[in-house]
Protein backbone atom coordinates (compact mmCIF):
# COMPACT_ATOMS: atom_id res chain seq x y z
CA UNK A 1 0.00 0.00 0.00
CA UNK A 2 1.47 3.33 -1.09
CA UNK A 3 1.45 6.12 1.49
CA UNK A 4 1.89 9.86 0.98
CA UNK A 5 4.77 11.75 2.63
CA UNK A 6 2.24 13.60 4.78
CA UNK A 7 0.91 10.25 6.05
CA UNK A 8 4.46 9.11 6.84
CA UNK A 9 5.07 12.30 8.78
CA UNK A 10 1.84 11.87 10.73
CA UNK A 11 2.65 8.25 11.56
CA UNK A 12 6.19 9.14 12.64
CA UNK A 13 4.95 11.95 14.84
CA UNK A 14 2.34 9.75 16.53
CA UNK A 15 4.84 6.94 17.04
CA UNK A 16 7.44 9.22 18.54
CA UNK A 17 5.63 11.94 20.49
CA UNK A 18 8.36 12.03 23.15
CA UNK A 19 11.14 12.37 20.61
CA UNK A 20 10.02 15.36 18.58
CA UNK A 21 13.53 15.88 17.21
CA UNK A 22 13.56 12.46 15.57
CA UNK A 23 10.08 13.04 14.14
CA UNK A 24 11.20 16.42 12.76
CA UNK A 25 14.23 14.83 11.11
CA UNK A 26 12.04 12.12 9.59
CA UNK A 27 9.59 14.74 8.35
CA UNK A 28 12.46 16.70 6.82
CA UNK A 29 13.81 13.61 5.13
CA UNK A 30 10.38 12.85 3.70
CA UNK A 31 9.93 16.43 2.52
CA UNK A 32 13.36 16.22 0.90
CA UNK A 33 12.32 13.03 -0.91
CA UNK A 34 9.14 14.66 -2.22
CA UNK A 35 11.06 17.69 -3.43
CA UNK A 36 13.45 15.66 -5.56
CA UNK A 37 11.05 15.98 -8.46
CA UNK A 38 9.32 19.26 -7.58
CA UNK A 39 11.38 22.44 -7.82
CA UNK A 40 10.50 25.32 -5.52
CA UNK A 41 9.04 28.41 -7.09
CA UNK A 42 8.34 31.88 -5.82
CA UNK A 43 4.62 31.25 -6.25
CA UNK A 44 4.24 27.91 -4.49
CA UNK A 45 0.59 26.91 -4.33
CA UNK A 46 -1.12 25.59 -1.21
CA UNK A 47 -1.52 22.19 -2.86
CA UNK A 48 2.19 22.07 -3.74
CA UNK A 49 3.08 23.01 -0.16
CA UNK A 50 0.83 20.30 1.22
CA UNK A 51 2.26 17.75 -1.21
CA UNK A 52 5.75 18.73 -0.06
CA UNK A 53 4.70 18.07 3.54
CA UNK A 54 4.18 21.68 4.66
CA UNK A 55 0.94 23.17 5.99
CA UNK A 56 0.88 26.76 4.68
CA UNK A 57 -2.06 27.65 6.93
CA UNK A 58 0.02 27.12 10.06
CA UNK A 59 3.65 27.34 8.92
CA UNK A 60 5.43 30.31 10.42
CA UNK A 61 8.55 31.53 8.68
CA UNK A 62 10.49 31.24 11.94
CA UNK A 63 10.00 27.46 11.63
CA UNK A 64 11.69 27.59 8.23
CA UNK A 65 14.56 29.51 9.81
CA UNK A 66 14.96 26.73 12.39
CA UNK A 67 14.84 24.18 9.56
CA UNK A 68 17.57 26.09 7.72
CA UNK A 69 19.77 26.02 10.84
CA UNK A 70 19.10 22.29 11.32
CA UNK A 71 20.13 21.59 7.72
CA UNK A 72 23.18 23.87 7.84
CA UNK A 73 25.48 20.83 7.95
CA UNK A 74 24.08 19.80 4.60
CA UNK A 75 24.75 23.16 2.95
CA UNK A 76 26.65 21.52 0.11
CA UNK A 77 23.55 19.51 -0.73
CA UNK A 78 21.39 21.45 -3.19
CA UNK A 79 18.36 19.40 -2.21
CA UNK A 80 18.60 20.55 1.41
CA UNK A 81 18.58 24.14 0.17
CA UNK A 82 15.59 23.28 -2.02
CA UNK A 83 13.64 22.05 1.04
CA UNK A 84 14.39 25.29 2.87
CA UNK A 85 13.41 27.36 -0.18
CA UNK A 86 10.11 25.50 -0.49
CA UNK A 87 9.45 25.96 3.23
CA UNK A 88 10.06 29.70 2.91
CA UNK A 89 7.80 29.89 -0.14
CA UNK A 90 5.01 28.19 1.84
CA UNK A 91 5.31 30.01 5.15
CA UNK A 92 2.94 32.68 6.37
CA UNK A 93 1.71 33.94 9.69
CA UNK A 94 3.11 36.14 12.38
CA UNK A 95 6.29 36.94 10.52
CA UNK A 96 4.34 38.60 7.69
CA UNK A 97 1.97 40.47 9.98
CA UNK A 98 4.80 41.74 12.17
CA UNK A 99 6.43 43.48 9.22
CA UNK A 100 5.37 46.98 8.28
CA UNK A 101 3.51 49.71 10.10
CA UNK A 102 -0.06 48.55 9.51
CA UNK A 103 -2.33 49.01 12.53
CA UNK A 104 -5.54 47.10 13.12
CA UNK A 105 -8.73 48.36 14.74
CA UNK A 106 -9.48 45.25 16.78
CA UNK A 107 -8.76 41.56 17.19
CA UNK A 108 -10.38 38.34 18.32
CA UNK A 109 -8.44 35.60 20.08
CA UNK A 110 -10.42 32.55 18.96
CA UNK A 111 -9.84 29.16 20.55
CA UNK A 112 -11.36 26.06 22.09
CA UNK A 113 -11.10 26.53 25.89
CA UNK A 114 -10.58 22.78 26.19
CA UNK A 115 -7.19 23.21 24.50
CA UNK A 116 -5.93 25.81 26.98
CA UNK A 117 -4.20 23.19 29.11
CA UNK A 118 -1.99 22.50 26.08
CA UNK A 119 -1.08 26.18 25.70
CA UNK A 120 -0.03 27.51 29.12
CA UNK A 121 1.28 30.80 27.69
CA UNK A 122 -2.09 31.56 26.11
CA UNK A 123 -3.88 30.65 29.34
CA UNK A 124 -1.56 32.97 31.27
CA UNK A 125 -2.15 35.76 28.73
CA UNK A 126 -5.93 35.37 28.96
CA UNK A 127 -5.87 35.22 32.76
CA UNK A 128 -3.45 38.10 33.37
CA UNK A 129 -3.02 40.34 30.32
CA UNK A 130 -6.10 40.21 28.08
CA UNK A 131 -8.08 42.62 30.28
CA UNK A 132 -5.60 45.39 29.42
CA UNK A 133 -6.75 45.09 25.78
CA UNK A 134 -10.49 44.84 26.56
CA UNK A 135 -11.39 47.76 24.26
CA UNK A 136 -9.82 46.15 21.18
CA UNK A 137 -9.51 42.41 21.95
CA UNK A 138 -12.24 39.83 22.44
CA UNK A 139 -11.52 36.27 23.56
CA UNK A 140 -13.98 34.00 21.77
CA UNK A 141 -14.66 30.34 22.47
CA UNK A 142 -15.13 28.11 19.44
CA UNK A 143 -15.32 24.37 19.83
CA UNK A 144 -12.53 22.54 18.01
CA UNK A 145 -10.57 25.68 17.02
CA UNK A 146 -6.83 25.89 17.45
CA UNK A 147 -5.69 29.24 18.91
CA UNK A 148 -5.91 31.97 16.28
CA UNK A 149 -5.68 35.75 16.39
CA UNK A 150 -8.06 37.36 13.88
CA UNK A 151 -7.19 40.99 13.10
CA UNK A 152 -9.82 43.44 11.83
CA UNK A 153 -9.47 46.63 9.82
CA UNK A 154 -11.26 49.91 10.58
CA UNK A 155 -14.39 48.74 8.73
CA UNK A 156 -14.66 45.64 10.92
CA UNK A 157 -13.65 43.29 8.15
CA UNK A 158 -11.10 40.51 8.86
CA UNK A 159 -7.73 41.68 7.55
CA UNK A 160 -5.46 38.88 8.72
CA UNK A 161 -5.40 35.82 10.92
CA UNK A 162 -2.45 34.29 12.72
CA UNK A 163 -1.90 30.94 14.39
CA UNK A 164 -0.74 31.91 17.89
CA UNK A 165 -0.56 28.55 19.63
CA UNK A 166 3.22 28.75 20.00
CA UNK A 167 3.43 32.42 20.98
CA UNK A 168 4.70 33.37 24.41
CA UNK A 169 2.87 35.82 26.68
CA UNK A 170 5.46 38.50 25.86
CA UNK A 171 5.19 37.93 22.09
CA UNK A 172 1.41 38.15 22.12
CA UNK A 173 1.36 41.19 24.39
CA UNK A 174 4.07 42.96 22.34
CA UNK A 175 2.30 42.20 19.07
CA UNK A 176 -1.01 43.57 20.35
CA UNK A 177 0.66 46.71 21.74
CA UNK A 178 2.38 47.38 18.41
CA UNK A 179 -0.43 46.44 16.03
CA UNK A 180 -3.71 47.51 17.65
CA UNK A 181 -5.14 50.99 18.15
CA UNK A 182 -5.43 50.89 21.91
Amino acid sequence: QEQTPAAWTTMATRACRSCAGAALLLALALALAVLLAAPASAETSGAACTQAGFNPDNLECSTCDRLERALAGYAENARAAQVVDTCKACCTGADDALQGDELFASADLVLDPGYLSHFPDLKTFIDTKAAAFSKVLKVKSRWGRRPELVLYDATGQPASSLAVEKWSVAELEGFLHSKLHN
Side-chain angles (χ1 to χ4, degrees):
Q1 180 182 2
E2 188 175 325
Q3 300 254 344
T4 65
W8 295 334
T9 303
T10 302
M11 289 186 317
T13 302
R14 286 182 184 154
C16 190
R17 290 205 188 272
S18 65
C19 52
L24 176 62
L25 287 176
L26 179 58
L28 296 175
L30 293 171
L32 183 62
V34 168
L35 290 173
L36 291 175
S41 69
E43 297 292 325
T44 305
S45 72
C49 293
T50 302
Q51 183 178 7
F54 298 111
N55 180 355
D57 296 330
N58 200 20
L59 178 62
E60 294 182 11
C61 293
S62 58
T63 303
C64 298
D65 295 336
R66 287 194 310 262
L67 172 63
E68 186 172 28
R69 288 190 299 273
L71 294 177
Y74 302 97
E76 68 283 350
N77 187 335
R79 291 186 179 126
Q82 190 177 18
V83 170
V84 172
D85 290 345
T86 300
C87 183
K88 288 182 176 182
C90 294
C91 70
T92 58
D95 302 331
D96 295 337
L98 288 171
Q99 303 303 318
D101 296 329
E102 183 177 7
L103 292 176
F104 300 95
S106 63
D108 291 341
L109 179 57
V110 184
L111 53 90
D112 183 338
Y115 287 152
L116 276 180
S117 63
H118 300 286
F119 308 109
D121 281 332
L122 286 177
K123 181 172 178 9
T124 300
F125 175 82
I126 291 168
D127 292 345
T128 63
K129 305 288 185 177
F133 297 96
S134 63
K135 292 181 182 178
V136 291
L137 176 69
K138 293 178 185 169
V139 178
K140 294 187 174 183
S141 298
R142 297 288 187 270
W143 186 83
R145 288 282 295 269
R146 305 284 292 183
E148 177 182 34
L149 187 65
V150 181
L151 303 165
Y152 296 92
D153 63 20
T155 66
Q157 296 299 311
S160 184
S161 66
L162 309 167
V164 294
E165 60 194 40
K166 296 180 182 176
W167 286 24
S168 70
V169 173
E171 288 171 325
L172 190 53
E173 184 178 24
F175 179 82
L176 294 174
H177 274 299
S178 68
K179 293 296 183 178
L180 291 180
H181 298 288
N182 195 4

